Amino acid sequence: MAKEKSIFETLFGINLNDHIEKKNGLSYISWPYAWAEVKKHYPDASYEIKLFGENHLPYVFDENTGYMVFTSVTIKNITHEMWLPVMDNANKTMKSVKYVYETKYRKNIPVETATMFDINKAIMRCLVKNLAMFGLGLYIYAGEDLPESRSESISDTQIKHLNDIVNAFDDPERLRNNILSSYNVAAFRDLNMTQYNEIVRKIKDRNKNQ
């Protein structure tokens, strides 16, 4: 029997590339999509927004460093915590007073004081970052293009599919041996997902050109 995947392996293997949004040079996933992906796999997942002080405010503030928000996520009795500063459009920590900043192209860009709207956005971004600690989208934070699951071994269904494609050719054994030799493997079950997808694509392209 195949070993059951851990929470991290399951979530880290999800390809989120079609849902990546970019802003000011940073890549991120919208919180509704990220949360939906987690709940589809782990319906018992829950999160908490950390509250502070007598007024139970969803942030901490320091005059020198600005605002910071905190969340925690629990999946199958495993809890990870995360924190995130409340940032302006230049990805700098917002303050309780108005200020200006400059870029290579502009000077004296004004920034208003942080509002609860800014804090709310930071909280939900913090939640997505928190989910990455469980594996979801972590490869994006690491600057990778694809999740590690693309290097996992292919399934029995995919092995059968590849065999069916190869057996449809006039000389299936020759094609099979060429594939195994090209990828330096002893059998189709030794291929990974990247190799499998590449082989299927090449065979389809070959059929189109015939």
Side-chain angles (χ1 to χ4, degrees):
M1 293 179 63
K3 177 184 176 182
E4 183 180 356
K5 289 184 178 180
S6 67
I7 297 172
F8 187 89
E9 289 172 327
T10 298
L11 295 181
F12 190 53
I14 299 175
N15 189 339
L16 302 178
N17 286 1
D18 290 340
H19 302 276
I20 294 177
E21 300 179 35
K22 294 183 180 290
K23 186 176 182 180
N24 300 320
L26 297 180
S27 298
Y28 64 96
I29 303 297
S30 65
W31 74 263
Y33 180 79
W35 185 241
E37 281 297 306
V38 170
K39 293 293 279 187
K40 282 193 293 186
H41 290 82
Y42 303 102
D44 67 331
S46 62
Y47 71 89
E48 178 186 0
I49 299 169
K50 301 296 183 179
L51 305 177
F52 302 90
E54 295 180 358
N55 295 325
H56 302 287
L57 298 174
Y59 61 85
V60 293
F61 174 74
D62 178 83
E63 290 186 2
N64 295 317
T65 58
Y67 294 86
M68 186 79 76
V69 298
F70 299 78
T71 61
S72 69
V73 173
T74 301
I75 303 176
K76 287 191 171 182
N77 296 319
I78 299 173
T79 299
H80 291 311
E81 297 184 347
M82 187 44 63
W83 52 91
L84 191 72
V86 179
M87 296 180 287
D88 59 24
N89 288 332
N91 300 322
K92 299 180 183 296
T93 305
M94 298 186 75
K95 310 293 184 181
S96 62
V97 296
K98 296 181 180 180
Y99 61 96
V100 297
Y101 69 91
E102 61 181 53
T103 67
K104 186 166 62 175
Y105 306 103
R106 289 182 60 191
K107 292 185 177 181
N108 298 322
I109 302 171
V111 179
E112 297 293 323
T113 60
T115 67
M116 285 305 299
F117 178 75
D118 299 309
I119 291 167
N120 179 65
K121 286 195 301 182
I123 289 171
M124 304 321 290
R125 288 173 181 171
C126 184
L127 173 61
V128 176
K129 188 179 178 185
N130 208 155
L131 296 175
M133 296 300 292
F134 284 91
L136 185 72
L138 185 60
Y139 72 96
I140 298 172
Y141 286 91
E144 300 295 335
D145 294 326
L146 290 170
E148 197 173 77
S149 66
R150 289 301 181 99
S151 295
E152 290 181 356
S153 299
I154 60 178
S155 67
D156 290 341
T157 300
Q158 289 160 333
I159 293 172
K160 182 179 183 303
H161 179 230
L162 194 52
N163 275 316
D164 289 343
I165 293 175
V166 170
N167 289 335
F169 280 76
D170 293 335
D171 192 350
E173 284 307 310
R174 181 179 178 183
L175 177 57
R176 181 177 287 101
N177 290 334
N178 285 341
I179 293 173
L180 298 178
S181 176
S182 296
Y183 290 92
N184 194 29
V185 294
F188 283 165
R189 69 177 58 259
D190 299 322
L191 294 166
N192 61 42
M193 280 298 298
T194 300
Q195 294 168 332
Y196 166 79
N197 289 329
E198 186 176 67
I199 293 167
V200 172
R201 176 178 55 78
K202 285 181 178 179
I203 292 177
K204 287 183 177 178
D205 289 344
R206 176 178 171 180
N207 289 338
K208 287 180 182 178
N209 295 328
Q210 287 182 342

